[in-house]
Amino acid sequence: MSNPNGFVPCIASTWSFSARGNAAAWPALAAGGDPLDAVLEACRVAEEDPAVDSVGFGGLPDAAGRVTLDGCVMRSPAECGSACGLRRHLHPARVARLVMERTPHVMLVGEAADEFADLHGEPSRELVSDAAREAWERWRAAPPTLDAAAAQARDRALRPVDSGDPGAGALFGSHARNETRWHDHDTIGSLAVGADGQLAGACSTSGMPWKVPGRVGDSPIIGHGLYVEPGVGAATATGTGELIMGVCGAFLAVEEMRRGATPLEAARTVVERIGRSYRIEPHHQTAFVVVGPDGTVGAAALRTGFLVAVRTPAGERLEPPGFTLRAD
Ligand code: SD4
């Protein structure tokens, strides 16, 4: 289904739970729609699904029991927006688009960002689901452990693992029902190429569960969780934001493409840089998805257990990253 310009529309999003959002976004994108509308639609589906325990409603709270949502959107260096620490609005990427389109600014944070969203007609609502509140109460009640083996096992269980079931939503759900895993954080990062070769991206997250109140990760920060350069490429990240922010992960991936790397080579370079730059802990995971203007998709991850959901005219596919740094 390429058009006279030779561009093939495509949407690629982090984790298998994103396959449903890709499918919802696809008809309009395939018909020549705006790739920014497509990535926002993919985010909307995840944000509204309480089974997705890492984005939107159903996202896990901070240490004080409050859910705060972060998101951003980008078409180009001159067209990007971000909203962080929303406590009353479910669609941070959509609020980020309002920041991009209706203000001279790039980023709004906290209560003022919620008030901005109110002013622009975004519905306000409770963000903490019953399941999220119960998970927080269990976390708060759990006794600390001084046993090194128990602490290692607990930390390993903090790593998100994709069951490969697009309907499952929870990265710590269906594959682990009989294990005492803690819910972990993750993110939808979605990248799309329009039928005219235009690129766009969006990120949306509830961040890291049990985070220190006020903590913001990579996802809503342009150049860290998302970067888009027209004609060059687009990249998005998921996983432990603290491993992504010190290397400007998404920006680095797109810069690698500017220097001639393929999407897979670019994603691999960033993951290898992270592996060299940090002491990797048992609970750490991070993955990058990179898309070229021709619709080529590449992904790389620090560890196994990550999947990317890709929709093209050939259909939907869920694939593991082309490069994984560590086997443990
Ligand atoms: C963050 N990368 O806040 C985001 C979301 C996340 O695993 O936690 N993803 O660090």
Side-chain angles (χ1 to χ4, degrees):
M1 205 192 288
S2 76
N3 55 44
N5 300 323
F7 292 111
V8 180
C10 160
I11 180 164
S13 307
T14 54
W15 306 103
S16 56
F17 66 68
S18 297
R20 279 170 293 139
N22 285 357
W26 181 250
L29 185 68
D34 183 343
L36 188 58
D37 291 339
V39 292
L40 285 171
E41 178 63 3
C43 289
R44 184 193 64 77
V45 171
E47 286 161 347
E48 287 179 359
D49 187 344
V52 176
D53 53 9
S54 50
V55 176
F57 186 67
L60 292 165
D62 65 15
R66 293 181 294 240
V67 167
T68 54
L69 302 183
D70 306 323
C72 71
V73 295
M74 188 166 193
R75 288 186 197 276
S76 72
E79 282 183 289
C80 50
S82 162
C84 305
L86 296 175
R87 285 184 51 194
R88 297 187 288 102
H89 293 89
L90 181 59
H91 300 296
R94 208 160 74 192
V95 178
R97 183 180 195 166
L98 291 169
V99 175
M100 175 177 95
E101 292 181 344
R102 301 194 190 170
T103 79
H105 311 304
V106 170
M107 179 180 270
L108 297 183
V109 302
E111 179 55 24
D114 275 310
E115 287 167 2
F116 169 83
D118 291 335
L119 281 175
H120 290 269
E122 284 288 305
S124 178
R125 61 169 292 174
E126 171 62 54
L127 295 180
V128 186
S129 68
D130 289 346
R133 184 172 290 108
E134 282 163 23
W136 174 72
E137 279 162 3
R138 280 198 304 279
W139 168 76
R140 206 169 48 148
T145 179
L146 293 176
D147 178 74
Q152 276 261 327
R154 183 200 60 202
D155 287 352
R156 210 169 295 114
L158 274 167
R159 194 191 312 159
V161 177
D162 197 319
S163 68
D165 172 3
L171 296 170
F172 286 79
S174 55
H175 66 291
R177 272 198 190 111
N178 300 320
E179 299 174 40
T180 340
R181 285 183 181 256
W182 291 13
H183 291 263
D184 196 27
H185 50 110
D186 264 286
T187 289
I188 176 166
S190 183
L191 306 172
V193 187
D196 56 358
Q198 224 193 104
L199 293 164
C203 256
S204 176
T205 191
S206 53
M208 189 179 280
W210 336 133
K211 61 196 172 188
V212 173
R215 177 262 186 194
V216 172
D218 61 299
S219 299
I221 315 262
I222 299 301
H224 296 247
L226 178 70
Y227 199 72
V228 179
E229 177 81 51
V232 178
T236 191
T238 182
T240 317
E242 282 71 8
L243 299 184
I244 297 163
M245 299 169 80
V247 301
C248 300
F251 179 76
L252 177 59
V254 175
E255 282 306 289
E256 287 298 306
M257 288 196 69
R258 190 197 301 283
R259 289 201 283 261
T262 64
L264 173 58
E265 289 165 349
R268 175 180 178 146
T269 296
V270 182
V271 167
E272 288 176 332
R273 176 81 67 91
I274 287 171
R276 288 197 302 275
S277 302
Y278 296 94
R279 196 179 113 188
I280 304 300
E281 307 282 350
H283 61 284
H284 284 157
Q285 168 64 304
T286 181
F288 284 81
V289 176
V290 183
V291 171
D294 63 354
T296 311
V297 179
L302 191 58
R303 289 189 155 111
T304 55
F306 173 71
L307 293 172
V308 55
V310 183
R311 178 93 195 203
T312 68
E316 179 81 33
R317 58 183 202 266
L318 275 181
E319 55 188 31
F323 172 78
T324 303
L325 184 67
R326 294 168 66 129
D328 61 336

